[in-house]
Amino acid sequence: MAHQWRGVIREYADRLPVTEATKVITLGEGGTPLVHARQLSELTGSEVYLKVEGMNPTGSFKDRGMTMAMTAAVEAGAKAVVCASTGNTSASAAAYATAAGLKCAVLVPEGKISMGKLSQAIAHGATLLQVDGNFDNCLDIARKLGESYPVFLVNSVNPARIQGQKTGAFEIVDSLGDAPDIHVLPVGNAGNISAYWKGYKEYSAPFETANGTLPAVATKTPIMWGFQAAGAAPFVAGHPITEPDTIATAIRIGNPASWDTAVAARDESGGLIEAVTDDEILAAHRWLSAKEGVFVEPGSAAGVAGLIKKHAAGEVPSGKTIVITVTGHGLKDPQWALRTEDGSDVQPVKVPNDVVTVAAELGLEEK
Ligand SMILES: *Cc1c(COP(=O)(O)O)cnc(C)c1O
């Protein structure tokens, strides 16, 4: 029977803090493809899948959390929401606030946000302020606004966001029939690694609900592998970084809000959080586009960069199932695709309006 995906809250209502009476704010998020990565599988000898989160309504996984956060905002009687953002949270908050009929204010770091994300926030009518500071400064201000002013904070420090984002783990288990052996993802503010770990844990044990106990769906939990950009790698340093720097703007964060839960995800799962350089991130970005057919933004490629790096070090087991979350769409930040490996820009070849010249340029000989 035909089935239209109803968004993560309705699909997983029995595992989320909602009731029948909850007025759900949704744009149909979740239900994203789990794509078999042929070339990464061949490279590693494991079955590697990509959870393609760029397919969410605003083009990133942030929508999974935002449906919950905006639903909670409406339930709380909020009239306005606020968030700090490296870009995707603002795009998502602006869209979901529009769906909820709420005002939305977003604080972004000056000059370090992609055009695609900026234009989404503007298109959806958010009030966008560029703060003279980095993401961590923006989040400080947003938290203080939420505490002392009549605005509802929708950053991932809001536990509703983590609740929504845990559904990514549910979908992966539902697709594969069990949890993968290893789950790989980029780490910035560290909400997502915390959310996936929460989701995997909840799916691998009986789950208490108001209406009774749900049985375990998965037989195990995966090992969590998180990757940060080398210039913004506080978990690798073991302390916050004051001047985070990377071309991967989505993970350009020096003082992650979900520090303790991310460390718990790493340690309880027997996993790791390591760093990849910007060059490794861009190489993985090219790998995904050119070899797998999946177009992501640079920050989203950090997990793939990590897997390739660990493979080169002989540290990726074969014969396992590995899932990598690729977090946001390539069209968010498309200029990186036009960069060649030597740093120059790709120029389209110009040809006259003439089939013979075009065929010659394509190296084709007449049949
Ligand atoms: C937000 C974001 C991240 C980082 O996720 P955290 O939960 O902050 O660790 C990675 N990639 C993209 C595309 C994002 O939008």
Side-chain angles (χ1 to χ4, degrees):
M1 206 173 81
H3 171 65
Q4 167 88 39
W5 180 265
R6 296 164 299 166
V8 299
I9 296 182
R10 292 205 179 92
E11 294 292 336
Y12 293 109
D14 52 359
R15 290 172 177 272
L16 290 168
V18 293
T19 68
E20 301 243 312
T22 304
K23 182 177 178 244
V24 175
I25 307 299
T26 179
L27 293 170
E29 62 294 316
T32 56
L34 188 66
V35 175
H36 186 241
R38 286 166 46 240
Q39 301 285 336
L40 286 171
S41 298
E42 199 175 306
L43 177 76
T44 58
S46 276
E47 290 306 313
V48 181
Y49 296 86
L50 304 169
K51 182 66 169 160
V52 183
E53 291 290 274
M55 296 305 286
N56 277 293
T58 77
S60 85
F61 75 83
K62 299 298 196 299
D63 295 343
R64 292 180 184 278
M66 207 53 76
T67 181
M68 278 296 301
M70 212 58 73
T71 295
V74 167
E75 204 157 42
K79 297 278 175 283
V81 297
V82 66
C83 66
S85 180
T86 60
N88 281 329
T89 298
S90 66
S92 185
Y96 281 79
T98 300
L102 301 182
K103 283 199 162 68
C104 178
V106 305
L107 307 178
V108 298
E110 173 122 51
K112 300 288 184 190
I113 165 169
S114 81
M115 271 296 289
K117 300 171 191 178
L118 205 63
S119 59
Q120 285 178 287
I122 299 292
H124 294 302
T127 303
L128 187 136
L129 302 177
Q130 288 216 322
V131 174
D132 178 16
N134 59 28
F135 169 83
D136 304 298
N137 307 131
C138 293
L139 183 56
D140 267 351
I141 298 176
R143 286 176 110 146
K144 286 172 187 153
L145 287 175
E147 277 161 24
S148 308
Y149 297 82
V151 286
F152 189 93
L153 183 66
V154 295
N155 277 106
S156 59
V157 294
N158 181 331
R161 281 274 309 276
I162 304 298
Q163 288 283 351
Q165 285 173 210
K166 78 184 180 187
T167 60
F170 295 169
E171 288 178 21
I172 289 165
V173 173
D174 289 342
S175 300
L176 295 176
D178 204 346
D181 298 300
I182 305 176
H183 187 109
V184 188
L185 78 174
V187 174
N189 213 21
N192 216 25
I193 190 171
S194 305
Y196 267 101
W197 182 238
K198 180 176 173 61
Y200 281 125
K201 276 198 301 187
E202 288 182 5
Y203 239 31
S204 66
F207 187 75
E208 307 292 335
T209 77
N211 304 320
T213 307
L214 300 171
V217 182
T219 67
K220 59 183 178 192
T221 53
I223 296 167
M224 303 296 293
W225 282 6
F227 290 94
Q228 305 208 277
F235 289 109
V236 179
H239 55 76
I241 305 284
T242 37
E243 300 283 340
D245 189 28
T246 168
I247 55 103
T249 52
I251 52 173
R252 187 172 174 272
I253 292 173
N255 189 11
S258 298
W259 185 283
D260 294 344
T261 46
V263 167
R266 179 192 68 191
D267 296 346
E268 289 171 21
S269 75
L272 53 86
I273 300 178
E274 294 183 0
V276 285
T277 65
D278 282 2
D279 283 347
E280 289 166 339
I281 288 172
L282 288 174
H285 179 261
R286 275 192 296 273
W287 177 298
L288 285 170
S289 312
K291 297 189 194 247
E292 311 289 359
V294 174
F295 190 31
V296 303
E297 62 171 285
S300 302
V304 173
L307 187 79
I308 292 171
K309 186 174 194 168
K310 297 294 277 181
H311 170 74
E315 292 169 12
V316 175
S318 58
K320 302 289 185 187
T321 301
I322 302 175
V323 172
I324 312 175
T325 301
V326 288
T327 44
H329 204 288
L331 293 174
K332 295 268 189 179
D333 210 354
Q335 91 265 18
W336 297 104
L338 300 175
R339 281 258 192 116
T340 58
E341 263 164 87
D342 65 27
S344 62
D345 272 359
V346 175
Q347 297 298 336
V349 175
K350 296 203 171 137
V351 288
N353 178 9
D354 163 48
V355 69
V356 174
T357 324
V358 171
E361 192 61 51
L362 294 174
L364 299 174
E365 281 174 32
E366 206 167 345
K367 295 193 271 191

